[in-house]
Amino acid sequence: MRTYIGRHQALSAEDFTELALGTPVELWLGVEDETDEERAARLDAARDILADPEYSDLPDHLIRLAAGVIEDHPDLFDVVPLARPARRRTARRGVAA
């Protein structure tokens, strides 16, 4: 099955997200090993986009997108408690056991 957003075909999950949001995901999440200068420029661009009236409903889109992911993949939030290692008791100097 093919998925289209407007006239654009989404070929991957990243394409779908970018087309649904109208911006690249990396703009909001950053990329690995970005410099401080690149991060500052990215955040500045993100602020400009959020200030643009055309994107005033972007937070609503993000909330709907997140809610859809949670609804489609509830197993993402399956939490499994990890066993704690037993604490070792060590004798302290000067304390009678």
Side-chain angles (χ1 to χ4, degrees):
M1 177 169 34
R2 295 181 185 179
T3 303
Y4 288 88
I5 305 292
R7 295 179 297 174
H8 303 279
Q9 182 178 4
L11 300 174
S12 67
E14 291 81 17
D15 287 347
F16 180 79
T17 305
E18 184 173 334
L19 289 168
L21 295 175
T23 61
V25 175
E26 292 81 11
L27 176 67
W28 308 105
L29 301 180
V31 293
E32 193 173 326
D33 297 329
E34 72 182 353
T35 65
D36 290 340
E37 186 177 281
E38 290 169 332
R39 182 177 190 273
R42 178 179 57 78
L43 293 176
D44 190 43
R47 277 189 218 84
D48 288 346
I49 288 172
L50 290 174
D52 187 333
E54 180 181 341
Y55 288 95
S56 63
D57 58 349
L58 185 61
D60 293 333
H61 285 299
L62 292 173
I63 291 167
R64 282 195 294 278
L65 181 65
V69 168
I70 292 167
E71 186 175 305
D72 293 342
H73 304 284
D75 55 307
L76 289 174
F77 297 95
D78 287 349
V79 178
V80 178
L82 300 176
R84 285 182 170 238
R87 292 179 91 186
R88 286 188 168 170
R89 298 183 79 196
T90 57
R92 295 193 323 221
R93 286 188 175 184
V95 178

